[in-house]
Structures are given as C-alpha cells and as structure tokens.
Amino acid sequence: MSTDTDTEPTSTAADESLFTDVDLGWEHRKNRIFLAVIFAASMFGVVMLALLLLDVLTDLYVGVTEYNISLLEFFTRDGSRREELSGFRGAIVASIMLMIVTAILSFFVGVGSAIYLEEYAPDTRITRLIEANLANLAGVPSIVYGLLALAAFVNGIGMGPILLAGAIALALLVMPIIIVSTQEALRAVPDGVRNGSYATGATEWQTIRRVVLPAAMPGIMTGTILALARAIGETAPLIMVGAIFVNRMPFGPFDRFSAMPTQIYNWANEPSMHFIHLAAVGIVVLLTFMFVMNGIAIYLRNEYETEI
Amino acid sequence: MSTETTPGPDITGGAARGDLEANRRARRLLFGCATITVVTTLAIFFVLIDNAVSYFFGARATEILLGASLERTVTFTEFFTGTRWAPDHATPGHGVLPVVFGTIAITVGAAFVAIPIGTATAIYLSEYASDGVRRKLKPTLEILAGIPTIVYGYFAIAFINPVVLSPIAETLFGINIGRYSMLSGMLVVGIMTIPMVSSISEDAMSAVPDDLRNGAYALGATRFDVSTRIVLPASISGVFASYILAVSRAIGETMAVSLAAGFNANITANPFDEIMTMTAYMVQMARGTTAVGTVEYQSLFAVGLLLFVMTLTMNLLNDWFKRRFQEEYR
C-alpha cells in the first residue's frame, strides 16, 4: 500500500528523466573521445621508447660518420681523457667481470634464503619480519647501496674503490629480486612432487636438493639473469664506490675499474660533442647486452615452462 | 621367515641419522642466508646514522659511544631551515632545503606526467584493449621500465633539452636555456615511471570482479561509465599503491636527474632553470675527491639518511595501501 503510493510518482519521474535527459548521441561521443584520449596516452610511452631508441641510433650514426668514431678502435681501446683516443674495452671487460662476481656473490645466498623461506621457515614473527624487510629492501634507492658499500667496504675495511666493492653493492641490490623470483619458482613446484619424495623416506634437504631444486632451476635461472640484466645498467652505486675517472682495463676483482654505465656517464657529462657521441655508441653496446640477457631469460622461460 | 631382517643400526639407522644431521646443517645454513637481507637493512641504517652523526656532532656515533667529545658542527636548525646548500665551499652553507626542493620538484613534475598517462594506459589495457593488443603493448611498456636510468639521462641531455625544450623556451618565452633544466628532469623521470603506474594499476583493475562490470552494463552504463565510475573506484587502493611506488622511485632516481637537471642547488619557480636534487648532490660529491672525514664526505650520509627515510616512508605507505587493497576482494 504505502510502497505503491511512495514509488509511483517518483518512479515515473525517474523514468521520464531517464528517457528524456540522457542524450545518447553525447554519450557515444563522450565514449569515443575518452577512448581516443586513453589510446593516445597508451601510445605516449611507445612513442617515447621509439624516440629514445631512434635518438641513440642517430647519434651513433652521426658519431661514426661525422666524428669519425672507428668502431674497431672503440672496442679495442680503453677510456681516455682524449676524445679521439677513447674506447670502451676496459668498460666492457669491467662490466662482464662485475656480472660474474655479482652473480657468484648473490646467487647462492639469494637462492639459499628463498629455499629457507619457502621450504623450511615456520610461520613465525622472524619469518614475517624477513619477508616484510625483503619488500622494503626492493624499494631502497640504488644509490643508498652505493653509500653502504662506500662506508662499509671501500673506507670501512679499507678495500679501496676496487671492482669487488662495486660487485658487493650490486649483489646486495639484486639479492631481493633473486630471492623473490626463486620463491616464485619454488612455489610453482607442485606439492605432489615433494610428497612423493618424502614417501620414499627422504629428508627435507634430500627432497629439496634432488627433487625440488632441479624442477625449479629454469625459473631460478630466469630470475637471476633478469636481475643481472638490471645490475649491468646500474650506475649510481658504482659511482658512489668510486668507479669513475678510471681508464685502465681491470685484470681482476681487486683492480680499480670503470664499468659501461659509469663510462657512459663520464662521456655524457663532457661538454664536447665528440664525447656525447661516444656515449651514444656506448649506450648501444649496453642496451645490446641488456636485450640479449633479457632474450636469454625469455627463451629459458618459454623453453622450460612446461617441464613440471 | 627369511624375509624378516632386523634393521640393524649399521644398515639404515646410521645412514638415516647422517641424513637427518645433514638436513639440520642445511637448515641452519639456509637460515643464515635468509638473515643476510635483515643484516643488509641494519647495516644501511647503521652506516647512514653512524656517519651522519659525525656531520652534526663532529664525531661518529661509534666514537661518541667510546667517549669522544661532542661538538655541534652543524645545527639541526641550520640543516632543516637554511636555504643555502654548499657544504664544500670556503664559506659553507648547510641548509638542505634547496636540494630537498629539487627532489620534491622533480618528483611532483614526474607525477604530473606519469600518473595521468599511466592511469589512462591502465584503463585502456584493462577495459578497452583486445587480448592481442594487450599482449603486445604491456611488454613494450615494460621495456621502458627496464632501460637503465643513465640512458634516460642521456636522452634528456641529448634530445629533450636541446631539441624539444630549448626551441620552445626560446620562441615562447625568449629564455636561453643551458645544458640542464628542471623541466627536462621532470619529463624524463615521468616517462620512466609510466610503466610502473600502468602495470601495477592494470593488475589492480583486472582484479575487479566482472560481476561489478556486468551489473553496471545491465543498468545501461556505457564503457566510459564502467571504467571511470565502477572499475577505477573499485581498484583505487591498488591504483594509489602504484602512485606511491612511482613517487618513491622518482625520489630515489639518480642518474637521469643528475644528467638532466644539473648541479646548481637553488630554489626556483622557473622550470627552465638548473636545479640539484639530493641524489645529484651525492653523485657530484662522489665524482670529486672527497677525503674521508671531511664535511663533504659526512654530508653525503646526512643527505643519504634523509633520502632513505623519505623512501622508507613511501614504501611503508605503499605496503599499507596494498594490504587494504588485498582485503577488499577475497
């Protein structure tokens, strides 16, 4: 009764407004404009990426043709204060060495931590603290890792600005990435596999070492390579440990060094246009390294994804 | 009868005991690995505070605990309210405000670029794009996130500033801009944080249940209405989390801003001026020859501590938003 009298007049009013006030043409236009706007916004990033790559490649081309940068000499000479004598060999060697030392330092500890957190850790306060801390470490600016290495290793224990100090900073920086990706790889191993191993009387450690780890290895390798691809482009931590204004090629982890990104920074900061174009050539080399590493990681993922 | 064997300790018992022992050892070793991340965080705190203390009190925290004398070298008032930042000059200025201004200006400018574009991209990816388009567009944008920041710095110094901004500034405002400008720093940091906003926001938007969308469509809503009035509000905490992450990244961003925005610590409203961020100051100090124990060296850690605290606050905020978001659809 009462509902009838209540709703009757209002609903007709609403109905009328629904059919008279809504301008369907405007609604359609609004939709089309919105789609155009958000499509343009999506393309902005793509256009910027294209511009960036195009700019670097044109600068490389101009560098080779107008500034007579010989690619052969670029790859066979070390850095130099004199622009026409400056090359990239020392930086490439330093970066490769950094990658190797960083991988050794971070891989075992990172994978070990992930195994503990996924396979052993009881759900206690300490475990949760470690997990929360991991998320936080991933957000620490990379330059802070450089400060840590500078104060603790370069000056603290008197290591000096050597390659090993830079590798430690990079290893600490990529450790959270390796841990998180290893955790995901371990989680992807079905529990049935573990239980099958336990049923034969194997201990936790035997199960992990002989059954779980081999199954998770492709995922772990993928994550590690992606982490190293990120480390190879990191500049700030290396500058903080003092990897700058060094032109010699390093011969071991205890030599002073200048890696690819710091060498590029050095060149880009010079006022001379010749150095700017040297930087462009260096960037092409650096990006090639990164894309190849990413490619390997994607290949590994696609190749072994269905193994388990 | 013959099938019965007594499991002697030599056959299975001994081996099993050894296996258990190996298991225990592995467990302890792996726990040691896991604690390294905690040790890293503690070491960062310790190193930053220990060295920053020497900037303010003339002796490191460890030395003070061992009985070194205190002297106020830089007062907190001067540090937090002074407007001249030049710890390495003959007449030193210890006001951190100009470099904090630089950092905040770059962050706000980058947010104005990355947040609208990133959000719009996320809406397009999650509500409009076909599967094929999404599968191509998302990895392409993620390449943007993977490019080293030094390359963005180069992009700013070799393209954005001289080719894009310089002609605009000259023809419209008659200003001759130099090698560095605040605006190019803002743009370039904005561009590199777009994928962070778009990727995480898209995840949040895709997590909105289809029932909500279908309910709205059943009422006659258009796609525009569904995107802006249903999906965006429903995923807002996840979207905010992505904004905070992007802002946190912009605060800590180093190489792009030090190449794009320059090394001149001043507070200015002119976007074509050269400025200095906290991170750019640290890079500049590291480039010079800073001897251990000098004021310049100590100031590195004071600024580093401030930077660390700022990003830590952002990360905790981000964490809080994410937890709120996770509670909503479970």
Side-chain angles (χ1 to χ4, degrees), chain A residues 205-237:
Chain A
W205 176 235
Q206 285 166 333
T207 306
I208 290 163
R209 202 162 57 97
R210 309 242 174 91
V211 180
V212 179
L213 266 188
M217 218 13 119
I220 296 174
M221 292 313 292
T222 307
T224 307
I225 293 170
L226 286 179
L228 291 178
R230 190 179 150 201
I232 203 172
E234 280 294 341
T235 321

PDB file of all heavy atoms in Angstrom, chain A residues 205-237:
ATOM      1  N   TRP A 205      65.993 -31.972   3.212  1.00  0.00           N
ATOM      2  CA  TRP A 205      67.139 -31.487   2.451  1.00  0.00           C
ATOM      3  C   TRP A 205      67.354 -32.322   1.189  1.00  0.00           C
ATOM      4  O   TRP A 205      67.597 -31.782   0.117  1.00  0.00           O
ATOM      5  CB  TRP A 205      68.384 -31.480   3.334  1.00  0.00           C
ATOM      6  CG  TRP A 205      69.627 -31.084   2.606  1.00  0.00           C
ATOM      7  CD1 TRP A 205      70.777 -31.782   2.536  1.00  0.00           C
ATOM      8  CD2 TRP A 205      69.843 -29.891   1.855  1.00  0.00           C
ATOM      9  NE1 TRP A 205      71.701 -31.113   1.788  1.00  0.00           N
ATOM     10  CE2 TRP A 205      71.154 -29.946   1.347  1.00  0.00           C
ATOM     11  CE3 TRP A 205      69.050 -28.779   1.537  1.00  0.00           C
ATOM     12  CZ2 TRP A 205      71.694 -28.942   0.559  1.00  0.00           C
ATOM     13  CZ3 TRP A 205      69.586 -27.779   0.748  1.00  0.00           C
ATOM     14  CH2 TRP A 205      70.896 -27.876   0.276  1.00  0.00           C
ATOM     15  N   GLN A 206      67.214 -33.663   1.335  1.00  0.00           N
ATOM     16  CA  GLN A 206      67.353 -34.524   0.153  1.00  0.00           C
ATOM     17  C   GLN A 206      66.276 -34.190  -0.874  1.00  0.00           C
ATOM     18  O   GLN A 206      66.547 -34.136  -2.079  1.00  0.00           O
ATOM     19  CB  GLN A 206      67.253 -35.992   0.559  1.00  0.00           C
ATOM     20  CG  GLN A 206      68.515 -36.484   1.258  1.00  0.00           C
ATOM     21  CD  GLN A 206      68.324 -37.808   1.947  1.00  0.00           C
ATOM     22  OE1 GLN A 206      67.202 -38.144   2.347  1.00  0.00           O
ATOM     23  NE2 GLN A 206      69.400 -38.552   2.120  1.00  0.00           N
ATOM     24  N   THR A 207      65.046 -33.976  -0.378  1.00  0.00           N
ATOM     25  CA  THR A 207      63.953 -33.637  -1.289  1.00  0.00           C
ATOM     26  C   THR A 207      64.251 -32.356  -2.044  1.00  0.00           C
ATOM     27  O   THR A 207      64.090 -32.263  -3.262  1.00  0.00           O
ATOM     28  CB  THR A 207      62.647 -33.489  -0.485  1.00  0.00           C
ATOM     29  OG1 THR A 207      62.442 -34.666   0.258  1.00  0.00           O
ATOM     30  CG2 THR A 207      61.475 -33.230  -1.399  1.00  0.00           C
ATOM     31  N   ILE A 208      64.719 -31.351  -1.289  1.00  0.00           N
ATOM     32  CA  ILE A 208      64.980 -30.050  -1.915  1.00  0.00           C
ATOM     33  C   ILE A 208      66.095 -30.165  -2.949  1.00  0.00           C
ATOM     34  O   ILE A 208      65.980 -29.698  -4.081  1.00  0.00           O
ATOM     35  CB  ILE A 208      65.351 -29.023  -0.830  1.00  0.00           C
ATOM     36  CG1 ILE A 208      64.137 -28.698   0.027  1.00  0.00           C
ATOM     37  CG2 ILE A 208      65.908 -27.761  -1.463  1.00  0.00           C
ATOM     38  CD1 ILE A 208      64.481 -28.037   1.319  1.00  0.00           C
ATOM     39  N   ARG A 209      67.188 -30.845  -2.550  1.00  0.00           N
ATOM     40  CA  ARG A 209      68.379 -30.850  -3.390  1.00  0.00           C
ATOM     41  C   ARG A 209      68.193 -31.706  -4.641  1.00  0.00           C
ATOM     42  O   ARG A 209      68.630 -31.339  -5.723  1.00  0.00           O
ATOM     43  CB  ARG A 209      69.574 -31.375  -2.594  1.00  0.00           C
ATOM     44  CG  ARG A 209      70.918 -30.942  -3.144  1.00  0.00           C
ATOM     45  CD  ARG A 209      71.976 -31.110  -2.090  1.00  0.00           C
ATOM     46  NE  ARG A 209      72.024 -32.485  -1.614  1.00  0.00           N
ATOM     47  CZ  ARG A 209      72.887 -33.403  -2.075  1.00  0.00           C
ATOM     48  NH1 ARG A 209      73.743 -33.070  -3.003  1.00  0.00           N
ATOM     49  NH2 ARG A 209      72.884 -34.613  -1.596  1.00  0.00           N
ATOM     50  N   ARG A 210      67.526 -32.841  -4.490  1.00  0.00           N
ATOM     51  CA  ARG A 210      67.458 -33.776  -5.617  1.00  0.00           C
ATOM     52  C   ARG A 210      66.173 -33.647  -6.418  1.00  0.00           C
ATOM     53  O   ARG A 210      66.121 -34.055  -7.563  1.00  0.00           O
ATOM     54  CB  ARG A 210      67.547 -35.212  -5.096  1.00  0.00           C
ATOM     55  CG  ARG A 210      68.717 -35.437  -4.167  1.00  0.00           C
ATOM     56  CD  ARG A 210      69.681 -36.446  -4.722  1.00  0.00           C
ATOM     57  NE  ARG A 210      70.862 -36.538  -3.868  1.00  0.00           N
ATOM     58  CZ  ARG A 210      70.972 -37.394  -2.858  1.00  0.00           C
ATOM     59  NH1 ARG A 210      69.982 -38.233  -2.599  1.00  0.00           N
ATOM     60  NH2 ARG A 210      72.077 -37.424  -2.147  1.00  0.00           N
ATOM     61  N   VAL A 211      65.103 -33.114  -5.803  1.00  0.00           N
ATOM     62  CA  VAL A 211      63.810 -33.108  -6.496  1.00  0.00           C
ATOM     63  C   VAL A 211      63.318 -31.691  -6.778  1.00  0.00           C
ATOM     64  O   VAL A 211      63.043 -31.334  -7.921  1.00  0.00           O
ATOM     65  CB  VAL A 211      62.742 -33.875  -5.669  1.00  0.00           C
ATOM     66  CG1 VAL A 211      61.403 -33.864  -6.386  1.00  0.00           C
ATOM     67  CG2 VAL A 211      63.210 -35.289  -5.400  1.00  0.00           C
ATOM     68  N   VAL A 212      63.216 -30.875  -5.732  1.00  0.00           N
ATOM     69  CA  VAL A 212      62.579 -29.562  -5.904  1.00  0.00           C
ATOM     70  C   VAL A 212      63.475 -28.609  -6.696  1.00  0.00           C
ATOM     71  O   VAL A 212      63.038 -27.980  -7.658  1.00  0.00           O
ATOM     72  CB  VAL A 212      62.225 -28.951  -4.525  1.00  0.00           C
ATOM     73  CG1 VAL A 212      61.603 -27.586  -4.700  1.00  0.00           C
ATOM     74  CG2 VAL A 212      61.280 -29.862  -3.778  1.00  0.00           C
ATOM     75  N   LEU A 213      64.757 -28.523  -6.302  1.00  0.00           N
ATOM     76  CA  LEU A 213      65.661 -27.576  -6.967  1.00  0.00           C
ATOM     77  C   LEU A 213      65.810 -27.855  -8.462  1.00  0.00           C
ATOM     78  O   LEU A 213      65.717 -26.924  -9.260  1.00  0.00           O
ATOM     79  CB  LEU A 213      67.024 -27.575  -6.293  1.00  0.00           C
ATOM     80  CG  LEU A 213      67.253 -26.511  -5.213  1.00  0.00           C
ATOM     81  CD1 LEU A 213      68.707 -26.516  -4.793  1.00  0.00           C
ATOM     82  CD2 LEU A 213      66.841 -25.133  -5.694  1.00  0.00           C
ATOM     83  N   PRO A 214      66.037 -29.109  -8.883  1.00  0.00           N
ATOM     84  CA  PRO A 214      66.128 -29.344 -10.321  1.00  0.00           C
ATOM     85  C   PRO A 214      64.874 -28.913 -11.065  1.00  0.00           C
ATOM     86  O   PRO A 214      64.952 -28.376 -12.164  1.00  0.00           O
ATOM     87  CB  PRO A 214      66.330 -30.859 -10.418  1.00  0.00           C
ATOM     88  CG  PRO A 214      66.914 -31.247  -9.120  1.00  0.00           C
ATOM     89  CD  PRO A 214      66.336 -30.317  -8.101  1.00  0.00           C
ATOM     90  N   ALA A 215      63.709 -29.131 -10.440  1.00  0.00           N
ATOM     91  CA  ALA A 215      62.457 -28.759 -11.106  1.00  0.00           C
ATOM     92  C   ALA A 215      62.313 -27.246 -11.202  1.00  0.00           C
ATOM     93  O   ALA A 215      61.748 -26.720 -12.156  1.00  0.00           O
ATOM     94  CB  ALA A 215      61.269 -29.348 -10.352  1.00  0.00           C
ATOM     95  N   ALA A 216      62.842 -26.538 -10.187  1.00  0.00           N
ATOM     96  CA  ALA A 216      62.660 -25.080 -10.151  1.00  0.00           C
ATOM     97  C   ALA A 216      63.782 -24.338 -10.866  1.00  0.00           C
ATOM     98  O   ALA A 216      63.712 -23.128 -11.047  1.00  0.00           O
ATOM     99  CB  ALA A 216      62.561 -24.599  -8.704  1.00  0.00           C
ATOM    100  N   MET A 217      64.845 -25.075 -11.267  1.00  0.00           N
ATOM    101  CA  MET A 217      66.039 -24.418 -11.783  1.00  0.00           C
ATOM    102  C   MET A 217      65.795 -23.466 -12.958  1.00  0.00           C
ATOM    103  O   MET A 217      66.330 -22.361 -12.960  1.00  0.00           O
ATOM    104  CB  MET A 217      67.082 -25.478 -12.163  1.00  0.00           C
ATOM    105  CG  MET A 217      68.517 -25.132 -11.851  1.00  0.00           C
ATOM    106  SD  MET A 217      68.786 -23.744 -10.775  1.00  0.00           S
ATOM    107  CE  MET A 217      69.629 -24.469  -9.431  1.00  0.00           C
ATOM    108  N   PRO A 218      64.991 -23.849 -13.986  1.00  0.00           N
ATOM    109  CA  PRO A 218      64.769 -22.897 -15.080  1.00  0.00           C
ATOM    110  C   PRO A 218      64.197 -21.562 -14.593  1.00  0.00           C
ATOM    111  O   PRO A 218      64.661 -20.496 -15.006  1.00  0.00           O
ATOM    112  CB  PRO A 218      63.753 -23.620 -15.977  1.00  0.00           C
ATOM    113  CG  PRO A 218      63.941 -25.050 -15.667  1.00  0.00           C
ATOM    114  CD  PRO A 218      64.327 -25.129 -14.224  1.00  0.00           C
ATOM    115  N   GLY A 219      63.245 -21.634 -13.676  1.00  0.00           N
ATOM    116  CA  GLY A 219      62.665 -20.403 -13.131  1.00  0.00           C
ATOM    117  C   GLY A 219      63.689 -19.585 -12.368  1.00  0.00           C
ATOM    118  O   GLY A 219      63.743 -18.360 -12.477  1.00  0.00           O
ATOM    119  N   ILE A 220      64.533 -20.285 -11.604  1.00  0.00           N
ATOM    120  CA  ILE A 220      65.558 -19.586 -10.824  1.00  0.00           C
ATOM    121  C   ILE A 220      66.557 -18.907 -11.761  1.00  0.00           C
ATOM    122  O   ILE A 220      66.934 -17.745 -11.561  1.00  0.00           O
ATOM    123  CB  ILE A 220      66.274 -20.573  -9.881  1.00  0.00           C
ATOM    124  CG1 ILE A 220      65.288 -21.124  -8.848  1.00  0.00           C
ATOM    125  CG2 ILE A 220      67.440 -19.896  -9.183  1.00  0.00           C
ATOM    126  CD1 ILE A 220      65.855 -22.204  -7.969  1.00  0.00           C
ATOM    127  N   MET A 221      66.963 -19.641 -12.823  1.00  0.00           N
ATOM    128  CA  MET A 221      67.916 -19.062 -13.777  1.00  0.00           C
ATOM    129  C   MET A 221      67.316 -17.840 -14.467  1.00  0.00           C
ATOM    130  O   MET A 221      67.979 -16.817 -14.634  1.00  0.00           O
ATOM    131  CB  MET A 221      68.327 -20.090 -14.832  1.00  0.00           C
ATOM    132  CG  MET A 221      69.150 -21.251 -14.322  1.00  0.00           C
ATOM    133  SD  MET A 221      70.496 -20.777 -13.255  1.00  0.00           S
ATOM    134  CE  MET A 221      71.544 -19.933 -14.421  1.00  0.00           C
ATOM    135  N   THR A 222      66.040 -17.954 -14.846  1.00  0.00           N
ATOM    136  CA  THR A 222      65.381 -16.822 -15.496  1.00  0.00           C
ATOM    137  C   THR A 222      65.424 -15.588 -14.601  1.00  0.00           C
ATOM    138  O   THR A 222      65.811 -14.494 -15.031  1.00  0.00           O
ATOM    139  CB  THR A 222      63.912 -17.175 -15.808  1.00  0.00           C
ATOM    140  OG1 THR A 222      63.892 -18.395 -16.544  1.00  0.00           O
ATOM    141  CG2 THR A 222      63.253 -16.096 -16.613  1.00  0.00           C
ATOM    142  N   GLY A 223      65.034 -15.772 -13.338  1.00  0.00           N
ATOM    143  CA  GLY A 223      65.024 -14.646 -12.402  1.00  0.00           C
ATOM    144  C   GLY A 223      66.407 -14.065 -12.200  1.00  0.00           C
ATOM    145  O   GLY A 223      66.581 -12.847 -12.144  1.00  0.00           O
ATOM    146  N   THR A 224      67.419 -14.946 -12.097  1.00  0.00           N
ATOM    147  CA  THR A 224      68.778 -14.471 -11.858  1.00  0.00           C
ATOM    148  C   THR A 224      69.301 -13.667 -13.049  1.00  0.00           C
ATOM    149  O   THR A 224      69.903 -12.606 -12.873  1.00  0.00           O
ATOM    150  CB  THR A 224      69.715 -15.660 -11.588  1.00  0.00           C
ATOM    151  OG1 THR A 224      69.164 -16.441 -10.541  1.00  0.00           O
ATOM    152  CG2 THR A 224      71.088 -15.184 -11.193  1.00  0.00           C
ATOM    153  N   ILE A 225      69.020 -14.171 -14.261  1.00  0.00           N
ATOM    154  CA  ILE A 225      69.512 -13.452 -15.445  1.00  0.00           C
ATOM    155  C   ILE A 225      68.833 -12.086 -15.550  1.00  0.00           C
ATOM    156  O   ILE A 225      69.477 -11.074 -15.850  1.00  0.00           O
ATOM    157  CB  ILE A 225      69.282 -14.289 -16.718  1.00  0.00           C
ATOM    158  CG1 ILE A 225      70.163 -15.536 -16.668  1.00  0.00           C
ATOM    159  CG2 ILE A 225      69.616 -13.486 -17.963  1.00  0.00           C
ATOM    160  CD1 ILE A 225      69.851 -16.553 -17.726  1.00  0.00           C
ATOM    161  N   LEU A 226      67.526 -12.034 -15.262  1.00  0.00           N
ATOM    162  CA  LEU A 226      66.832 -10.750 -15.297  1.00  0.00           C
ATOM    163  C   LEU A 226      67.422  -9.795 -14.256  1.00  0.00           C
ATOM    164  O   LEU A 226      67.598  -8.612 -14.519  1.00  0.00           O
ATOM    165  CB  LEU A 226      65.335 -10.942 -15.047  1.00  0.00           C
ATOM    166  CG  LEU A 226      64.550 -11.550 -16.203  1.00  0.00           C
ATOM    167  CD1 LEU A 226      63.091 -11.723 -15.826  1.00  0.00           C
ATOM    168  CD2 LEU A 226      64.660 -10.674 -17.446  1.00  0.00           C
ATOM    169  N   ALA A 227      67.736 -10.330 -13.073  1.00  0.00           N
ATOM    170  CA  ALA A 227      68.326  -9.493 -12.027  1.00  0.00           C
ATOM    171  C   ALA A 227      69.689  -8.965 -12.478  1.00  0.00           C
ATOM    172  O   ALA A 227      70.014  -7.791 -12.272  1.00  0.00           O
ATOM    173  CB  ALA A 227      68.460 -10.293 -10.734  1.00  0.00           C
ATOM    174  N   LEU A 228      70.487  -9.831 -13.118  1.00  0.00           N
ATOM    175  CA  LEU A 228      71.810  -9.392 -13.576  1.00  0.00           C
ATOM    176  C   LEU A 228      71.689  -8.386 -14.714  1.00  0.00           C
ATOM    177  O   LEU A 228      72.499  -7.464 -14.828  1.00  0.00           O
ATOM    178  CB  LEU A 228      72.641 -10.595 -14.012  1.00  0.00           C
ATOM    179  CG  LEU A 228      73.077 -11.517 -12.882  1.00  0.00           C
ATOM    180  CD1 LEU A 228      73.839 -12.700 -13.430  1.00  0.00           C
ATOM    181  CD2 LEU A 228      73.932 -10.770 -11.871  1.00  0.00           C
ATOM    182  N   ALA A 229      70.639  -8.560 -15.559  1.00  0.00           N
ATOM    183  CA  ALA A 229      70.418  -7.591 -16.631  1.00  0.00           C
ATOM    184  C   ALA A 229      70.114  -6.228 -16.045  1.00  0.00           C
ATOM    185  O   ALA A 229      70.463  -5.198 -16.613  1.00  0.00           O
ATOM    186  CB  ALA A 229      69.265  -8.047 -17.524  1.00  0.00           C
ATOM    187  N   ARG A 230      69.468  -6.217 -14.884  1.00  0.00           N
ATOM    188  CA  ARG A 230      69.221  -4.938 -14.241  1.00  0.00           C
ATOM    189  C   ARG A 230      70.519  -4.381 -13.651  1.00  0.00           C
ATOM    190  O   ARG A 230      70.813  -3.203 -13.740  1.00  0.00           O
ATOM    191  CB  ARG A 230      68.183  -5.097 -13.142  1.00  0.00           C
ATOM    192  CG  ARG A 230      67.769  -3.752 -12.663  1.00  0.00           C
ATOM    193  CD  ARG A 230      66.735  -3.728 -11.598  1.00  0.00           C
ATOM    194  NE  ARG A 230      66.994  -2.532 -10.832  1.00  0.00           N
ATOM    195  CZ  ARG A 230      66.569  -2.349  -9.609  1.00  0.00           C
ATOM    196  NH1 ARG A 230      65.864  -3.270  -9.025  1.00  0.00           N
ATOM    197  NH2 ARG A 230      66.843  -1.250  -8.981  1.00  0.00           N
ATOM    198  N   ALA A 231      71.311  -5.276 -13.058  1.00  0.00           N
ATOM    199  CA  ALA A 231      72.542  -4.828 -12.401  1.00  0.00           C
ATOM    200  C   ALA A 231      73.520  -4.224 -13.393  1.00  0.00           C
ATOM    201  O   ALA A 231      74.234  -3.265 -13.078  1.00  0.00           O
ATOM    202  CB  ALA A 231      73.192  -5.993 -11.659  1.00  0.00           C
ATOM    203  N   ILE A 232      73.541  -4.749 -14.630  1.00  0.00           N
ATOM    204  CA  ILE A 232      74.543  -4.287 -15.586  1.00  0.00           C
ATOM    205  C   ILE A 232      74.295  -2.825 -15.966  1.00  0.00           C
ATOM    206  O   ILE A 232      75.217  -2.115 -16.359  1.00  0.00           O
ATOM    207  CB  ILE A 232      74.566  -5.200 -16.842  1.00  0.00           C
ATOM    208  CG1 ILE A 232      75.918  -5.086 -17.544  1.00  0.00           C
ATOM    209  CG2 ILE A 232      73.468  -4.875 -17.807  1.00  0.00           C
ATOM    210  CD1 ILE A 232      76.109  -6.078 -18.660  1.00  0.00           C
ATOM    211  N   GLY A 233      73.055  -2.348 -15.824  1.00  0.00           N
ATOM    212  CA  GLY A 233      72.761  -0.961 -16.169  1.00  0.00           C
ATOM    213  C   GLY A 233      72.826  -0.001 -15.009  1.00  0.00           C
ATOM    214  O   GLY A 233      72.654   1.196 -15.170  1.00  0.00           O
ATOM    215  N   GLU A 234      73.054  -0.524 -13.788  1.00  0.00           N
ATOM    216  CA  GLU A 234      73.063   0.331 -12.610  1.00  0.00           C
ATOM    217  C   GLU A 234      74.321   1.208 -12.579  1.00  0.00           C
ATOM    218  O   GLU A 234      75.434   0.704 -12.705  1.00  0.00           O
ATOM    219  CB  GLU A 234      73.001  -0.516 -11.331  1.00  0.00           C
ATOM    220  CG  GLU A 234      71.621  -0.991 -10.985  1.00  0.00           C
ATOM    221  CD  GLU A 234      70.677   0.148 -10.611  1.00  0.00           C
ATOM    222  OE1 GLU A 234      71.163   1.236 -10.269  1.00  0.00           O
ATOM    223  OE2 GLU A 234      69.457  -0.065 -10.666  1.00  0.00           O
ATOM    224  N   THR A 235      74.113   2.487 -12.401  1.00  0.00           N
ATOM    225  CA  THR A 235      75.222   3.427 -12.429  1.00  0.00           C
ATOM    226  C   THR A 235      75.530   3.993 -11.057  1.00  0.00           C
ATOM    227  O   THR A 235      76.686   4.030 -10.630  1.00  0.00           O
ATOM    228  CB  THR A 235      74.884   4.597 -13.375  1.00  0.00           C
ATOM    229  OG1 THR A 235      74.207   4.093 -14.501  1.00  0.00           O
ATOM    230  CG2 THR A 235      76.130   5.308 -13.798  1.00  0.00           C
ATOM    231  N   ALA A 236      74.482   4.425 -10.355  1.00  0.00           N
ATOM    232  CA  ALA A 236      74.666   5.180  -9.121  1.00  0.00           C
ATOM    233  C   ALA A 236      75.510   4.454  -8.064  1.00  0.00           C
ATOM    234  O   ALA A 236      76.432   5.057  -7.501  1.00  0.00           O
ATOM    235  CB  ALA A 236      73.312   5.576  -8.553  1.00  0.00           C
ATOM    236  N   PRO A 237      75.261   3.163  -7.789  1.00  0.00           N
ATOM    237  CA  PRO A 237      76.069   2.512  -6.751  1.00  0.00           C
ATOM    238  C   PRO A 237      77.547   2.464  -7.132  1.00  0.00           C
ATOM    239  O   PRO A 237      78.420   2.616  -6.275  1.00  0.00           O
ATOM    240  CB  PRO A 237      75.503   1.090  -6.670  1.00  0.00           C
ATOM    241  CG  PRO A 237      74.226   1.117  -7.383  1.00  0.00           C
ATOM    242  CD  PRO A 237      74.253   2.250  -8.332  1.00  0.00           C
TER     243      PRO A 237
END
